[in-house]
């Protein structure tokens, strides 16, 4: 059977498509509106060529770095994605176990607010370093309770998603009348009337419009700082202007992201936005001060590009759903990052229309 195992994420995606109900597959796979940004997220990696340097010893490789004071074996973390039980019955508990087991490739999991497992269950399941992803709700007391819970359960940082004051218009979800499983973490905190009447459409969108606060602003970052001592990362920044404001607001870092093309369509792909942000601000997408001092992002970039263009986006879900297994530290995962090491000895050539390539 071994020889029939998928060898790359596209093959897992095909299996996942067969295994999952259409509504769930489309939710994981889809983007907002015309899905231009979703397509660009992938195409943008294809425009970056690697310039391999030969006759360089790659027998000993070290991708380790430090993120918010935690030494990690590689600069790869598990992004927050909601409702893992849509893809696997064990949900986020299995993901956390895999994150802890894969200590050669990823050791940090960012748990989504929309986790289909209780935050307590995930915390008890393994010793991965965990960050908690938060949205700001109209009801600030709910957001504050979630932050306190994350703090008391040993989560190490709050990842505030700032690109979702309103949910992106995900047309596949509207068509499928997407039903998002209620998050057990909101039980007892917030009730939601999911009776759509005759209106139809995505229940997820309706839940978001009833609960998320569209007045979200920099004042809320101040508010969040006032209620927690945990470091705060802002997720969803794609311009140098906002990165600069984030520094001024005193957050620990920004995560350059367009939410996988699921929020504002025609926003730039994250990998292209990275080019803008370091150029103006000389800082890293994760940990501004550390990386600024060490120039870390430049050192890791070619390797990361190679890896990300093949393994980014919703690949965790394809892998889980396509294999029919809970994610583990599979034989497949470690091999690709190791090959990507070689990329660590390359530099990148950014090739863009109408612009000469340059190396970083
Ligand atoms: C199925 C799915 C669910 C997601 N759920 C969340 C979420 O709950 N919170 C969040 O901040 N981002 C969520 N994301 C976005 C991811 O964290 C991540 O930003 C995206 O997959 C990669 O795009 P990027 O490179 O632009 O960050 C989700 C993505 C997918 C595919």
């Amino acid at each position: 059977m071994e020889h029939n195992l998928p060898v790359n994420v596209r093959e897992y995606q095909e299996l996942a498509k067969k295994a999952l109900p259409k509504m769930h597959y489309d939710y994981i796979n889809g983007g907002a509106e015309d899905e231009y940004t979703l397509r660009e997220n992938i195409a943008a990696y294809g425009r970056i060529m690697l310039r391999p340097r030969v006759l360089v010893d790659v027998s000993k490789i070290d991708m380790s770095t430090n993120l918010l004071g935690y030494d990690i074996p590689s600069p790869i973390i598990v992004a927050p994605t909601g409702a893992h039980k849509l893809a696997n019955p064990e949900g986020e508990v299995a993901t956390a176990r895999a994150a802890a087991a894969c200590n050669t490739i990823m050791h940090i999991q960012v748990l989504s607010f929309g986790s289909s497992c209780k935050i307590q269950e995930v915390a008890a399941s393994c010793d991965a370093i965990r960050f908690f992803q938060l949205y700001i709700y109209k009801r600030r007391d709910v957001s504050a309770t979630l932050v306190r819970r994350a703090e008391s359960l040993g989560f190490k940082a709050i990842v505030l998603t700032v690109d979702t004051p309103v949910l992106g218009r995900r047309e596949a979800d509207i068509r499928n009348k997407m039903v998002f499983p209620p998050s057990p973490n909101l039980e007892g905190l917030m009730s939601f009337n999911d009776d759509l009447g005759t209106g139809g459409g995505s229940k997820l969108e309706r839940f978001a419009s009833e609960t998320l606060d569209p007045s979200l602003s920099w004042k809320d970052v101040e508010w969040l700082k006032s209620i927690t001592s945990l470091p705060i990362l802002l997720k969803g920044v794609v311009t140098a202007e906002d990165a600069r404001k984030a520094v001024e607001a005193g957050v620990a870092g920004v995560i350059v992201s367009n939410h996988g093309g699921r929020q504002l369509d025609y926003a730039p792909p994250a990998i292209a936005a990275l080019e803008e942000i370091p150029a103006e601000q000389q800082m890293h997408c994760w940990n501004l001060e550390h990386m600024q001092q060490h120039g870390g992002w430049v050192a890791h970039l070619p390797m990361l590009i190679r890896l990300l263009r093949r393994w980014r986006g919703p690949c965790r879900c394809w892998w889980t759903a396509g294999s029919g297994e809970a994610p583990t530290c599979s034989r497949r995962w470690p091999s690709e990052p190791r090959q990507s090491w070689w990329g660590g000895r390359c530099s990148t050539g950014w090739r863009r229309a109408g612009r000469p390539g340059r190396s970083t």
Side-chain angles (χ1 to χ4, degrees):
M1 288 303 286
E2 172 74 11
H3 62 281
N4 288 331
L5 283 173
V7 297
N8 61 40
V9 75
R10 284 183 298 279
E11 293 178 11
Y12 273 106
Q13 181 169 359
E14 282 307 308
L15 291 180
K17 192 171 186 179
K18 289 183 194 140
L20 290 176
K22 183 175 183 324
M23 176 193 287
H24 298 165
Y25 178 85
D26 286 353
Y27 164 71
I28 296 167
N29 192 48
E33 300 182 26
D34 300 333
E35 300 190 334
Y36 181 81
T37 295
L38 180 71
R39 289 191 297 280
E40 269 296 294
N41 275 346
I42 296 161
Y45 286 110
R47 291 195 286 272
I48 301 167
M49 296 293 113
L50 301 183
R51 301 177 61 249
R53 300 298 308 273
V54 297
L55 298 176
V56 177
D57 181 353
V58 290
S59 60
K60 292 192 185 66
I61 44 184
D62 179 12
M63 287 201 288
S64 62
T65 188
N66 182 286
L67 177 58
L68 296 183
Y70 300 99
D71 289 327
I72 50 173
S74 79
I76 300 170
I77 65 177
V78 182
T81 52
H84 290 193
K85 283 191 181 175
L86 294 181
N88 185 280
E90 283 195 77
E92 287 77 4
V93 165
T95 311
R97 209 172 44 233
C102 290
N103 59 6
T104 53
I105 49 174
M106 53 187 177
H107 203 66
I108 293 186
Q109 179 192 24
V110 185
L111 187 69
S112 163
F113 93 99
S115 164
S116 45
C117 295
K118 282 204 162 170
I119 177 172
Q120 293 86 340
E121 284 177 80
V122 181
S125 66
C126 68
D127 64 352
I129 300 164
R130 273 177 296 271
F131 296 172
F132 184 72
Q133 181 260 320
L134 182 78
Y135 285 118
I136 300 278
Y137 297 105
K138 286 175 188 159
R139 280 192 47 197
R140 296 291 189 281
D141 58 314
V142 171
S143 299
T145 303
L146 293 174
V147 169
R148 278 196 297 275
R149 215 177 264 173
E151 273 181 345
S152 68
L153 289 166
F155 282 68
K156 303 295 185 200
I158 300 294
V159 172
L160 177 64
T161 298
V162 289
D163 59 14
T164 313
V166 292
L167 197 75
R169 185 181 157 81
R170 303 172 193 169
E171 296 181 0
D173 290 351
I174 295 172
R175 223 173 280 119
N176 294 331
K177 304 184 182 4
M178 171 66 191
V179 182
F180 196 74
S183 169
N185 293 305
L186 294 179
E187 254 168 44
L189 293 179
M190 219 163 30
S191 60
F192 171 61
N193 172 14
D194 70 355
D195 176 13
L196 282 174
T198 53
S202 158
K203 289 192 182 187
L204 174 60
E205 193 174 41
R206 181 152 158 212
F207 171 77
S209 73
E210 284 195 11
T211 58
L212 297 179
D213 191 347
S215 76
L216 178 69
S217 75
W218 290 100
K219 281 192 195 139
D220 294 297
V221 177
E222 280 306 309
W223 170 77
L224 186 57
K225 278 172 59 188
S226 76
I227 63 160
T228 182
S229 54
L230 289 178
I232 298 168
L233 299 172
L234 299 189
K235 174 173 183 285
V237 170
V238 287
T239 63
E241 294 92 314
D242 283 343
R244 189 182 307 122
K245 285 184 104 165
V247 176
E248 285 161 15
V251 298
V254 296
I255 297 178
V256 178
S257 163
N258 59 38
H259 215 115
R262 298 160 75 81
Q263 278 304 112
L264 185 68
D265 202 15
Y266 298 93
I271 195 69
L274 259 187
E275 199 184 4
E276 168 179 342
I277 291 174
E280 284 199 19
Q281 292 292 301
Q282 300 294 307
M283 65 192 187
H284 183 258
C285 55
W286 289 340
N287 183 328
L288 314 184
E289 282 172 28
H290 175 84
M291 291 297 178
Q292 193 171 353
Q293 284 159 16
H294 295 86
W297 84 273
V298 175
H300 289 303
L301 194 61
M303 181 278 299
L304 278 177
I305 285 168
R306 187 181 182 284
L307 198 57
L308 288 176
R309 75 173 137 216
R310 285 173 60 84
W311 286 98
R312 67 172 299 287
C315 68
R316 192 214 64 79
C317 307
W318 303 146
W319 181 26
T320 310
S323 65
E325 293 167 8
T328 54
C329 192
S330 135
R331 291 173 292 284
R332 302 277 158 213
W333 276 82
S335 72
E336 181 122 15
R338 256 200 299 276
Q339 286 156 10
S340 294
W341 274 114
W342 201 21
R345 304 291 183 179
C346 304
S347 60
T348 49
W350 298 82
R351 292 208 315 197
R352 309 183 114 201
R355 205 177 139 177
R358 77 174 169 84
S359 295
T360 54

